[in-house]
């Protein structure tokens, strides 16, 4: 994001992002230099890492999520003061030295050890405190123009600003301790990202407020961009002797928890969306971590997901309820914050538990039925009526005739969820990632960018900030390699939705001495297990059998044995009815719904300009047809013909009674 900070400022909100510009023309979007995602799999297992360290006579001990070793990059005096300050991630092999801020992958570490044995000092590895392009410089300019919130010139302005963000009860002492500032030009709070030593400014987050009636929406903007923003807000205040910490999802929550309890408190940089593994070394010193991320079901699921990274044995989770709201809300209502923290549930589970241990979670699901149903689609409201929502841990099988637009539809289907914060991993084995990204960018911009290339950077920068990742596979791949890559993505980016397009392209390299159907059953079972074990939704595209094109597809039309439809929680079919007189009609059929049993079908309208299937805003709402479970959900051709005939009669009658506007029909001359 580009911020210009000269003399006068103007403020406006563009696409839920704060844009700040000076009194001269500027480009409001700038591509930051973001490192490419790491390799698809860990180069070494934790056993291999331990064996290598032993072979090199490097002392080490196991931490919660990292292996601790003395830093090979620090000088002798530093090495004594920062003993065991180099952390190697057990899952990825990536390392970070908290004494010198040198980081790298496992191969970098091995190369550094070999060079050190030869007496060569390695100094060209990336340092985490170095600015990325101009992000740190831009952040410093904004930081210098922001004023300390606790000492604005007008005391009334301070009170009003605190009231807008709901922190009237937060003391000036707390604001000063956490160095919170206020940017008048944007009417936003400014939270700094200091290096762990607190000596340099690495970035910042701007927090604005949008009010829609009684609802309050927070608008965040970060420097550098979100994918490179790794700020544990409050980290410089942590003492080396601290053994307990509270993790919150928002900076405002961290302020009130610390003020109410005095406990060390940190805020995660991307809230409930992701816990970057790069932050794990800074959390190794704590023997007890309490996660209090919010008040809804998604926050609770994120807390359980993050606890698996942090080691569940040391984690406790504050479960949302009517009495245990988000920290800021609980503090505002006068709740006992310390008591809520002490009532947190342990994250670790035994192999056998009783209903008593499940009781609160069962009550939570009953009390929050709408949230349990999952994330709602904004572009496909008819799908919400049938499927109720997109839920983690499920397997969806999607099929449709060749050339019906399966990839185009599933792209918009996934993009809709991604826009709502669902971290998404695409595995496109049939078409290239470039072509897929072009389709999704067109759907994101809702129009052809070929005709407006001057706006490409604007849309591309916003698209780049989505939690969207792509596998680099193409064509036939081994299922084990694909599953390993998915596991890596779940750990690195907290992926909660994986799309595999499509199954048939993955079946060529399976070295199994069984028939083709058995191979497919094995792969479907592997995806089913992955979805359940990782609380991740997997959408699996499967081509149908070759059947009569005039017949509608059914669940039995899915290629292979019945295992795919049996293992699936949901079965979606893109029906494409061919017409001799013109373009066919497309419908989306929900043929199986394990969540509540509702199945049905609704029409889709394809827009060639935007490559979207979602209904236009101005069009009449599509009629939804619910059917019984034993019905295939497809209207009969006779009924469809009657509907078409009735529609034509109605249209003809309407044309007789209406005078068309000039230019309404093709080839009609328009007079001025």
């Amino acid at each position: 994001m580009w911020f210009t900070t000269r003399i006068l400022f103007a403020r406006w909100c563009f696409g839920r992002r704060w844009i700040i510009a000076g009194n001269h023309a500027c480009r409001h979007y700038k591509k930051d230099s973001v490192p490419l995602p790491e390799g698809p799999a860990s180069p070494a297992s934790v056993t291999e890492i331990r064996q290598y360290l032993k072979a090199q006579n490097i002392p080490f001990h196991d931490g919660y999520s990292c292996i601790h070793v003395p830093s090979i990059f620090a000088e002798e005096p530093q090495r004594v003061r920062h003993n065991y300050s180099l952390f190697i991630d057990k899952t990825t092999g990536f390392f970070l030295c908290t004494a010198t801020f040198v980081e790298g992958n496992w191969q970098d570490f091995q190369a550094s050890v070999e060079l050190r044995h030869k007496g060569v000092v390695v100094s060209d590895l990336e340092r985490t405190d170095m600015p990325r392009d101009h992000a740190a410089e831009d952040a410093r300019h904004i930081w210098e123009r922001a004023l300390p919130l606790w000492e604005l010139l007008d005391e009334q302005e301070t009170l009003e600003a605190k009231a807008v963000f709901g922190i009237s009860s937060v003391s000036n002492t707390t604001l000063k301790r956490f160095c919170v500032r206020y940017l008048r030009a944007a009417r936003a709070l400014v939270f700094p990202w200091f290096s762990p030593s607190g000596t340099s400014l690495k970035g910042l987050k701007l927090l604005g407020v949008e009010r829609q009636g009684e609802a309050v929406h927070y608008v965040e903007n970060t420097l550098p961009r979100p994918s490179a923003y790794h700020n544990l807000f409050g980290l410089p205040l942590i003492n080396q002797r601290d053994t307990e910490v509270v993790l919150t999802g928002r900076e405002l929550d961290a302020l009130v928890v610390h003020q109410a309890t005095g406990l060390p408190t940190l805020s995660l940089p991307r809230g409930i969306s992701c816990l970057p593994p790069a932050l794990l070394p800074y959390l190794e010193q704590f023997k007890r971590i309490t996660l209090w991320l919010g008040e809804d079901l998604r926050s609770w699921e994120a807390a359980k997901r993050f606890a698996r990274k942090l080691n569940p044995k040391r984690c406790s989770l504050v479960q949302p309820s009517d009495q245990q709201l988000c920290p800021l809300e609980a503090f505002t209502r006068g709740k006992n914050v310390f008591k809520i923290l002490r009532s947190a549930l342990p994250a670790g589970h035994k192999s056998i538990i009783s209903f008593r241990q499940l009781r609160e979670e069962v009550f939570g699901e009953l009390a929050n039925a709408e949230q349990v149903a999952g994330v709602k689609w904004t572009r496909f409201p008819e799908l919400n009526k049938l499927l109720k929502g997109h839920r983690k841990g499920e397997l969806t099988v999607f099929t449709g005739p060749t050339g019906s637009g399966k990839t185009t539809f599933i792209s918009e289907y996934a993009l809709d969820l991604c826009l709502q914060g669902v971290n998404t991993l695409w595995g496109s084995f049939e078409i290239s990632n470039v072509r897929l990204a072009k389709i999704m960018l067109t759907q994101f911009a809702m129009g052809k960018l070929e005709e407006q290339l001057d706006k490409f950077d604007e849309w591309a920068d916003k698209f780049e900030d989505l939690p969207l990742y792509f596998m680099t596979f193409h064509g036939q791949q081994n299922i084990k390699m694909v599953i390993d890559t998915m596991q890596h993505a779940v750990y690195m980016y907290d992926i909660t939705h994986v799309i595999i397009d499509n199954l048939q392209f993955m079946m060529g390299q399976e070295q199994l001495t069984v028939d083709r159907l058995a191979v497919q059953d094995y792969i479907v079972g592997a995806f089913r297990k992955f979805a359940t074990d990782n609380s991740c939704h997997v959408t699996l595209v499967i081509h149908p059998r070759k059947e009569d094109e005039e017949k509608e597809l059914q669940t039995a039309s899915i290629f292979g044995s019945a295992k795919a439809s049996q293992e699936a929680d949901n079965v979606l079919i893109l029906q494409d009815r061919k017409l001799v007189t013109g373009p066919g009609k497309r419908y989306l059929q929900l043929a199986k719904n394990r969540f509540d049993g509702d199945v049905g079908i609704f029409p889709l309208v394809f827009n060639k300009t935007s490559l979207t299937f979602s209904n236009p805003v101005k069009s009449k709402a599509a009629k939804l047809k619910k059917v019984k479970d034993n019905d295939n959900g497809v209207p009969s051709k006779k009924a469809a013909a009657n509907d078409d005939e009735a529609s034509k009669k109605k249209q003809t009658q309407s044309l007789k009674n209406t005078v068309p506007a000039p230019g309404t029909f093709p080839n009609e001359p328009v007079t001025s």
Side-chain angles (χ1 to χ4, degrees):
M1 189 68 65
W2 177 262
F3 288 90
T4 309
T5 54
R6 296 184 183 178
I7 312 174
L8 301 176
F9 290 83
R11 179 185 69 86
W12 66 94
C13 188
F14 181 85
R16 301 181 69 85
R17 295 278 186 177
W18 293 109
I19 304 297
I20 304 173
N23 58 350
H24 66 288
C26 68
R27 185 179 179 186
H28 300 302
Y29 289 86
K30 181 188 69 173
K31 287 188 176 181
D32 290 328
S33 177
V34 180
L36 294 175
E38 292 81 2
S42 174
S45 67
V46 64
T47 302
E48 292 171 329
I49 293 174
R50 293 192 187 107
Q51 290 175 347
Y52 178 82
L53 295 175
K54 290 179 180 178
Q56 298 296 327
N57 294 320
I58 299 176
F60 68 91
H61 64 79
D62 278 300
Y64 295 102
S65 54
C66 300
I67 293 177
H68 304 199
V69 302
S71 175
I72 61 174
F73 302 99
E75 301 296 332
E76 289 298 332
Q78 279 185 306
R79 202 173 305 167
V80 175
R81 188 168 65 254
H82 300 280
N83 196 22
Y84 288 87
S85 59
L86 192 145
F87 301 88
I88 304 174
D89 192 297
K90 294 180 181 179
T91 303
T92 64
F94 283 81
F95 73 88
L96 169 67
C97 173
T98 56
T100 61
F101 305 114
V102 175
E103 66 177 6
N105 58 33
W106 177 241
Q107 288 85 354
D108 292 332
F109 178 81
Q110 290 177 304
S112 300
V113 171
E114 299 298 330
L115 290 174
R116 190 169 185 84
H117 287 330
K118 297 177 182 179
V120 179
V121 179
V122 180
S123 59
D124 58 349
L125 288 177
E126 178 185 5
R127 288 177 174 267
T128 58
D129 60 346
M130 292 181 63
R132 299 182 183 275
D133 289 345
H134 302 288
E137 182 180 350
D138 293 341
R140 188 175 67 254
H141 288 321
I142 295 175
W143 181 248
E144 290 172 352
R145 284 159 176 77
L147 301 174
L149 181 57
W150 62 91
E151 55 182 25
L152 296 179
L153 296 178
D154 185 358
E155 184 177 353
Q156 184 62 29
E157 183 183 9
T158 301
L159 296 176
E160 291 177 356
K162 291 169 70 173
V164 167
F165 291 92
I167 55 174
S168 298
S169 301
V170 177
S171 67
N172 289 337
T173 302
T174 301
L175 296 173
K176 184 176 182 179
R177 179 173 175 80
F178 283 87
C179 300
V180 181
R181 293 192 177 187
Y182 182 70
L183 187 63
R184 283 173 172 163
R187 296 181 184 176
L189 295 182
V190 183
F191 301 105
W193 176 16
F194 291 117
S195 62
S197 60
T199 57
S200 62
L201 182 71
K202 301 178 63 176
L204 50 79
K205 176 184 287 188
L206 270 68
L207 182 70
V209 169
E210 286 183 353
R211 293 189 177 274
Q212 298 178 358
E214 296 183 357
V216 176
H217 299 282
Y218 293 100
V219 183
E220 294 183 353
N221 190 23
T222 64
L223 276 174
R225 66 191 320 137
S227 58
Y229 184 76
H230 293 162
N231 178 25
L232 274 173
F233 179 68
L235 185 61
L237 303 178
I238 298 297
N239 191 291
Q240 290 185 354
R241 292 187 294 272
D242 290 332
T243 59
E244 180 179 359
V245 70
V246 180
L247 293 184
T248 68
R250 302 183 306 170
E251 290 78 7
L252 298 180
D253 291 333
L255 296 176
V256 298
V257 169
H258 178 76
Q259 178 172 313
T261 65
L263 294 173
T265 308
L266 299 173
S267 174
L268 299 178
R270 286 186 257 173
I272 64 174
S273 174
C274 179
L275 172 59
L279 301 179
L280 298 182
Y282 298 109
L283 301 172
E284 281 289 294
Q285 74 179 74
F286 302 109
K287 296 180 180 179
R288 175 184 170 90
I289 298 178
T290 303
L291 292 99
W292 191 359
L293 302 184
E295 59 185 351
D296 57 9
L297 190 62
R298 292 184 69 181
S299 302
W300 173 246
E301 291 176 345
K304 292 190 288 186
R305 191 169 68 247
F306 295 166
R308 289 198 293 268
K309 283 187 183 182
L310 295 165
N311 193 323
K313 293 181 180 179
R314 61 169 174 163
C315 293
S316 298
L317 316 179
V318 176
Q319 185 174 10
S321 69
D322 293 338
Q323 300 300 320
Q324 295 174 181
L325 309 167
C326 71
L328 180 58
E329 186 71 17
F331 182 75
T332 303
R333 294 189 184 184
K335 303 288 185 182
N336 190 325
V337 175
F338 191 83
K339 184 178 180 181
I340 293 176
L341 289 174
R342 287 297 174 250
S343 66
L345 304 175
H349 288 286
K350 298 179 181 179
S351 299
I352 300 176
I353 57 177
S354 66
F355 177 73
R356 181 180 180 182
Q357 294 161 289
L358 298 173
R359 179 171 177 163
E360 289 302 318
E361 287 198 49
V362 172
F363 177 79
E365 293 209 359
L366 292 173
N368 300 280
E370 192 69 16
Q371 295 180 26
V372 172
V375 180
K376 304 294 187 292
W377 286 269
T378 58
R379 298 191 179 197
F380 302 100
E382 296 86 359
L383 187 57
N384 293 329
K385 297 175 184 177
L386 293 174
L387 199 51
K388 305 304 183 292
H390 181 269
R391 294 167 290 276
K392 297 175 184 176
E394 292 189 350
L395 174 66
T396 294
V397 170
F398 177 62
T399 190
T402 302
S404 60
K406 292 190 297 297
T407 299
T408 305
F409 171 80
I410 210 68
S411 297
E412 186 182 12
Y413 167 99
L415 176 63
D416 189 334
L417 297 169
C418 191
L419 285 167
Q420 299 176 70
V422 176
N423 298 352
T424 304
L425 176 67
W426 251 99
S428 178
F429 299 87
E430 187 169 1
I431 67 173
S432 68
N433 284 333
V434 173
R435 183 180 170 192
L436 174 62
K438 178 184 174 184
I439 293 173
M440 298 186 75
L441 181 60
T442 302
Q443 294 171 335
F444 179 66
M446 297 295 287
K448 286 188 176 181
L449 291 177
E450 294 95 328
E451 301 171 358
Q452 42 185 349
L453 290 177
D454 57 321
K455 294 185 178 180
F456 173 79
D457 283 339
E458 177 181 321
W459 286 108
D461 280 347
K462 290 191 286 185
F463 187 77
E464 190 174 329
D465 284 339
L466 295 178
L468 178 64
Y469 304 89
F470 301 88
M471 297 188 209
T472 56
F473 300 133
H474 185 68
Q476 300 169 346
Q477 296 295 333
N478 181 278
I479 180 60
K480 184 180 184 303
M481 185 178 296
V482 174
I483 293 292
D484 287 346
T485 302
M486 292 161 57
Q487 291 277 12
H488 180 80
V490 167
Y491 180 80
M492 292 295 297
Y493 310 112
D494 291 290
I495 297 298
T496 55
H497 185 202
V498 178
I499 303 99
I500 301 296
D501 184 16
N502 59 65
L503 179 64
Q504 278 82 349
F505 273 73
M506 296 176 52
M507 296 173 58
Q509 293 186 0
E510 297 305 320
Q511 303 299 322
L512 299 177
T513 58
V514 288
D515 60 27
R516 187 174 178 82
L517 295 182
V519 173
Q520 177 170 320
D521 290 348
Y522 170 77
I523 294 175
V524 170
F527 284 127
R528 167 75 271 176
K529 186 176 186 302
F530 174 87
T532 303
D533 292 347
N534 295 276
S535 187
C536 180
H537 194 115
V538 176
T539 299
L540 187 58
V541 181
I542 305 179
H543 284 312
R545 304 174 187 271
K546 291 185 178 180
E547 297 179 343
D548 188 350
E549 293 184 358
E550 295 184 359
K551 292 183 178 180
E552 304 287 358
L553 296 180
Q554 301 181 17
T555 303
S557 303
I558 299 173
F559 182 85
S561 68
K563 186 175 179 67
S565 58
Q566 290 171 352
E567 292 280 10
D569 297 284
N570 317 296
V571 175
L572 291 173
I573 303 176
L574 183 61
Q575 301 285 2
D576 186 11
R577 183 181 303 142
K578 305 292 184 182
L579 298 179
V580 179
T581 57
K585 291 187 177 181
R586 293 171 185 167
Y587 299 85
L588 185 66
Q589 177 193 353
L590 176 61
K592 180 181 179 181
N593 176 6
R594 186 170 283 165
F595 180 70
D596 69 354
D598 281 352
V599 294
I601 188 169
F602 61 89
L604 296 173
V605 180
F606 181 66
N607 186 318
K608 192 173 182 180
T609 302
S610 60
L611 302 180
T612 57
F613 281 94
S614 50
N615 291 326
V617 177
K618 295 183 180 180
S619 68
K620 294 182 180 179
K623 292 184 178 180
L624 175 70
K625 180 182 179 182
K626 287 189 178 181
V627 295
K628 297 180 181 179
D629 288 348
N630 58 357
D631 192 350
N632 63 10
V634 182
S636 64
K637 293 189 176 182
K638 183 176 180 180
N642 292 337
D643 291 344
D644 292 343
E645 185 177 352
S647 177
K648 289 179 181 178
K649 288 182 179 179
K650 186 176 180 180
Q651 184 178 7
T652 304
Q653 185 65 29
S654 176
L655 290 174
K656 288 180 180 179
N657 299 331
T658 306
V659 179
T664 300
F665 299 107
N667 303 323
E668 180 186 3
V670 180
T671 57
S672 57

